Amino acid sequence: MRITIYTRNNCIQCHATKRAMERHGFDFEMVNLDQHPEMADTLREQGFRQLPVVIAGETRWSGFRPDMINRLRPDAIAAHA
């Protein structure tokens, strides 16, 4: 599953999300909106109003959401299947 985290410099929730993803051993791509400002409009068009925005396959959310990060674990996915 491909995971992309949209972030900005000095975003506390973004840093917390990155640390939690690393702690769980997830591979992910970071897209910094300070370096790619054109992506901010795309995210707003999709209804997102805060950062980080995490897109993991069909699952999408914004903000620091440990509950959603935990749901990405393979054992959690198997338990809900």
Side-chain angles (χ1 to χ4, degrees):
M1 167 180 35
R2 181 181 172 153
I3 301 172
T4 305
I5 303 172
Y6 294 89
T7 184
R8 277 213 150 102
N9 296 334
N10 302 319
C11 169
I12 293 170
Q13 290 189 8
C14 300
H15 294 300
T17 298
K18 177 183 176 217
R19 283 192 307 270
M21 290 285 204
E22 289 172 341
R23 195 169 41 251
H24 284 290
F26 290 120
D27 290 323
F28 55 89
E29 173 187 3
M30 299 280 291
V31 177
N32 188 315
L33 298 182
D34 291 322
Q35 297 171 356
H36 301 281
E38 70 282 359
M39 291 303 301
D41 290 333
T42 301
L43 294 172
R44 274 193 286 277
E45 289 169 5
Q46 295 175 15
F48 295 109
R49 299 288 180 253
Q50 72 177 45
L51 292 175
V53 171
V54 178
I55 300 178
E58 298 296 316
T59 304
R60 299 163 180 250
W61 72 85
S62 63
F64 176 52
R65 297 282 310 272
D67 60 320
M68 296 299 290
I69 294 169
N70 286 335
R71 289 183 192 174
L72 296 178
R73 293 189 347 249
D75 57 330
I77 293 169
H80 291 283

